Amino acid sequence: MKHLMAIDDLFSAATLTREPEYAARILDLLPALGDADDAEAAVDQFRHVLKLMGADAGVFLSVIKDDATRTSHRSLLACDPMWATEYTKGGWHDHDPWLRHARLHSEPICGTELDVRPDETGFVNVSARLGFASSVVVPAPSPAGLSRIAVLTIGSHNFGFFDGVAQILFRIVARALATELNRWLLRNIASELVAKSGITADEIALLRHEEAGHTSKMIGAELNIEAKTVDSRFQRLSAKLDAPDRRTAARIARLYGVLGT
């Protein structure tokens, strides 16, 4: 694992926008975050990278919507623990301007530029008190559209700290950080779903067939089994994923990263 810079080497966020070599040094560290063995290691790397960017806090939030009724919220937090407590207590999942920005836009934005709704002011005020007085909101790329949304928010205790630092170098580093956080989280979400459901490698292969549009007859011909046997396997597989049908099962597997990003 690469060694991170010492605290004496830290630059400000403004320096990051002016120094290509410094930005490159940070980018070189990011794959280790995406490859972290567990949440503790990932958060530790997250904190170090934030310090190198001149930030005091960071949160990465992910929302997966299976269907009209099921929603899964996940996060990686490198901030004051009280932020998570207040977030849950306030029920801010549905009143979060950071997530709302990620639903509607792909570009990073300074927190002062967000169009904050009246029902979101409580979230903004508490976040400002707990490390996000100044912030940059960075949507993570997602091929799943609105069914899977993720956003990185980088924060500072100092008001105005990130104002005017949305230059290209800072955006590159922030987007790369969001991508690696998303990669780590999705990889672990996929592992959790496989472990919880007990689906096997052969069943994951079946889901890939379904996603490719293959019929039971086509799958059976490839596996040298009858089509009705394929149907039975899909029924058992769908039950494991709490899905009403094979198409939904494949969609869930895709959203949770079991079939890749």
Side-chain angles (χ1 to χ4, degrees):
M1 182 180 296
K2 295 181 176 65
H3 293 289
L4 293 160
M5 295 178 182
I7 298 300
D8 292 341
D9 292 326
L10 300 184
F11 287 32
S12 69
T15 302
L16 174 58
T17 68
R18 299 193 304 266
E19 301 288 344
E21 290 184 3
Y22 185 70
R25 293 171 71 186
I26 298 177
L27 290 170
D28 193 41
L29 299 170
L30 295 183
L33 192 162
D35 293 333
D37 293 332
D38 53 38
E40 183 178 357
V43 170
D44 185 56
Q45 289 277 32
F46 188 13
R47 289 185 185 278
H48 278 297
V49 171
L50 288 170
K51 288 180 181 178
L52 293 173
M53 296 177 73
D56 297 317
V59 300
F60 186 76
L61 304 172
S62 173
V63 179
I64 299 176
K65 199 170 186 62
D66 296 359
D67 54 33
T69 60
R70 296 190 303 186
T71 303
S72 173
H73 297 268
R74 304 296 180 96
S75 62
L76 274 176
L77 307 177
C79 62
D80 188 324
M82 279 301 299
W83 185 89
T85 301
E86 293 291 337
Y87 194 93
T88 301
K89 185 171 69 175
W92 284 330
H93 294 107
D94 297 321
H95 307 281
D96 181 341
W98 302 343
L99 280 173
R100 183 165 58 81
H101 177 75
R103 287 190 186 97
L104 301 174
H105 306 281
S106 60
E107 290 292 316
I109 188 173
C110 288
T112 52
E113 299 173 359
L114 287 171
D115 179 20
V116 178
R117 295 174 176 174
D119 64 320
E120 297 167 342
T121 55
F123 167 87
V124 171
N125 292 338
V126 171
S127 295
R129 180 165 50 85
L130 296 174
F132 298 91
S134 181
S135 63
V136 179
V137 181
V138 188
S142 171
L146 295 179
S147 295
R148 189 171 73 208
I149 300 166
V151 63
L152 163 67
T153 302
I154 302 168
S156 171
H157 289 293
N158 302 313
F159 283 97
F161 183 80
F162 286 113
D163 291 357
V165 299
Q167 290 94 337
I168 187 65
L169 279 179
F170 192 90
R171 288 189 181 191
I172 289 172
V173 173
R175 280 174 163 167
L177 175 56
T179 297
E180 288 301 313
L181 288 165
N182 199 33
R183 183 167 71 88
W184 184 90
L185 194 62
L186 194 58
R187 178 164 57 86
N188 282 267
I189 288 173
S191 296
E192 288 176 10
L193 180 61
V194 170
K196 180 180 178 181
S197 65
I199 60 175
T200 66
D202 287 343
E203 288 173 327
I204 292 174
L206 275 182
L207 291 170
R208 294 189 188 283
H209 279 294
E210 173 60 27
E211 191 175 48
H214 298 165
T215 65
S216 294
K217 185 175 180 179
M218 293 167 62
I219 299 170
E222 181 171 326
L223 300 180
N224 198 27
I225 57 178
E226 294 184 4
K228 63 181 181 182
T229 302
V230 174
D231 291 336
S232 296
R233 291 183 181 182
F234 268 120
Q235 288 176 358
R236 291 193 295 270
L237 171 55
S238 296
K240 287 183 178 182
L241 293 174
D242 194 24
D245 52 58
R246 58 202 270 180
R247 181 178 180 182
T248 303
R251 180 172 180 273
I252 290 172
R254 171 59 63 185
L255 286 176
Y256 283 79
V258 175
L259 302 181
T261 57

